[in-house]
Amino acid sequence: MTSVADYYAGKNVLITGATGFMGKVLVEKLLRCCPQVRALFLLVRPKAGQSMQQRVDDMIKCKLFDRVREDDAHFHRKIVPISSELTEPGLAISPEDADKLAACVNIVFHCAATIRFDEPLKHAVQLNVIGTQQLLGLARRMRHLEAFIHISTAYANCNRKHIDEVIYPPPVEPRKLIESLEWMDDRIVQDITPRLIGNRPNTYTYTKALAEYVVQQEQDKLNIGIIRPSIVGASWQEPFPGWIDNFNGPSGVFIAAGKGILRTMRANNDAVADLIPVDVVINLTLAAGWYTAVHKLVPRCPPGPLQKHHVMSSFKRNPLEQAFRRPNANITSNYLIYQYWILVSHKFPALLYDLVLRLTGQKPQMMRIFNRLHKAISLLEYFSSQDWEWNSENVNMLMAQLSPEDRKVTFNFDVRQLNWPEYIENYCIGTKKYVLNEDMSDIPAARQHLRKLRNIRYTFNTVLVVFIWRVFIARSQMARNIWYFVVSLCFKFLSYFRASSTLTN
Ligand SMILES: CCCCCCCCCCCCCCCCCC(=O)SCCNC(=O)CCNC(=O)[C@H](O)C(C)(C)COP(=O)(O)OP(=O)(O)OC[C@H]1O[C@@H](n2cnc3c(N)ncnc32)[C@H](O)[C@@H]1OP(=O)(O)O
Ligand SMILES: NC(=O)C1=CN([C@@H]2O[C@H](COP(=O)(O)OP(=O)(O)OC[C@H]3O[C@@H](n4cnc5c(N)ncnc54)[C@H](OP(=O)(O)O)[C@@H]3O)[C@@H](O)[C@H]2O)C=CC1
């Protein structure tokens, strides 16, 4: 049995989406744990005034690559950036680069995609479907290709309740959709998008389902592997715990909750989301690359439950700086209760805060932040308030194929060993350190700030009670009667419990 690292020795690997969250972790892991890999060809586009070379240079300077740097200061020599825009004809790769890739690439990892839930259909199809088709076209030219690994999502078939590790028939024949979109005006496409995506929640899951089908069409010509991760979160162990670099999915929710902005969300109360650490997904992906070179595979990453109380307690121990309120979120599956909390815990404090800003001559901003937050959580709601049953037989089979060293250490993707409270703690600290760039030495000041917020809340509540008392109780006989009735009822209950506890003692 060869080890996974042995398989990658001397191999030329092509990666799309290498500048993204998962792509970066994939590049790092390959360089660190498969040191004999020959070259990594990264398809990167110039962006925001930076050339592709500058972008790659910036990427490898980031903290994520510290461990690789320690092992080999010249690791960058193995990285070969190739200029490419996946939405352009021929992927906008120069003919010389295309010929070079066709001559030497052994494994392709296709990570690039638009993962926005509000992406216009035309653009999502252009990148997620046509981009994938074009990459497959290039792969067919690769004379030494051993495996093509496509990163899909566990939610590509989220319109089903039970999802097996198979490719389901597509919602529409991709070729027909692409032909229609070519002549359709953007406004018409926007109008018909809800009809087209049907019972899927967004263009992302719809186009990822089409991409899976497009990949499957090549299965007679290429060795295809498809990976379906659920919601990918911060790293568990590698290269260090808690690494995360974006606001997507749960990370944005965590940060908004840690800052005390998000106080309610609609979700299943027990297991609110299927979370999987990014290093686990990447270990599985690399193992699947090795295995697919010989067999075909559709594994899905086994997720774990995300529980809200770990998030809250973690942010109370390691608070974020300048929180708006103390972290405390109310997760509910009930629509009316949710609307109540939105009003009381989001809109009312935002209005109050904006009023204070106006009175002190500053620009109001809180209501605008909450409107954006509400848009974001409404898009995530579909995923946080439902359950799916997933089959993971291929994942278990793949695990059994690994050598004991790979299975337990180097390419471990067994999440049963994961300690969830510890993982969530590291995740929350990771959002603080790596997404918000906050200093851990500021934690005492952040705690002090939370204490100040708690005192403000107590003062506010006391003033509110006194105000209500003055306005209603002191002025109306009926309110007074109700008040005395409630107080005497509470008193009776208290006396009863005191008496019964004395009896039992
Ligand atoms: C509370 C307890 C715990 C309970 C836990 C419950 C958790 C449930 C979580 C459920 C998650 C479900 C995920 C489903 C996953 C499907 C998995 C996948 O396959 S695929 C993967 C899943 N795919 C996704 O997750 C994608 C989902 N995201 C989207 O689709 C869009 O971001 C959007 C539509 C939500 C907002 O669009 P838009 O309003 O246009 O905003 P932009 O995005 O353009 O960002 C503008 C700027 O704001 C910045 N920023 C962002 N957030 C925050 C924040 N929270 N704060 C501060 N800042 C934030 C951002 O960096 C940017 O800065 P800059 O670059 O301009 O400087
Ligand atoms: N994150 C998650 O929770 C999950 C992700 N997935 C899948 O994993 C894969 C990676 O996701 P993730 O890393 O989170 O996504 P990111 O958004 O972080 O990265 C997307 C990558 O795709 C590249 N890209 C986007 N558009 C183009 C384009 N037109 N031409 C060339 N490259 C482009 C981006 O490059 P650039 O830097 O230039 O923008 C970036 O490198 C995706 O296929 C996604 O569907 C699946 C399940 C969950």
Side-chain angles (χ1 to χ4, degrees), residues 447-459:
R447 285 200 189 119
Q448 177 66 30
H449 179 71
L450 286 194
R451 276 196 290 275
K452 197 172 96 189
L453 289 175
R454 190 194 52 197
N455 293 341
I456 292 175
R457 199 182 103 213
Y458 286 160
T459 313

Side-chain angles (χ1 to χ4, degrees), residues 17-23 45 47 55 84-87 111-113 115 127 151-153 204 208 229-232:
T19 49
F21 170 48
M22 286 170 48
R45 57 180 172 169
K47 193 174 163 186
R55 295 190 66 207
S84 171
E85 163 60 62
L86 298 189
T87 55
C111 301
I115 63 166
L127 180 55
I151 311 293
S152 182
T153 162
Y204 169 68
K208 289 298 272 189
S230 51
I231 301 165
V232 184

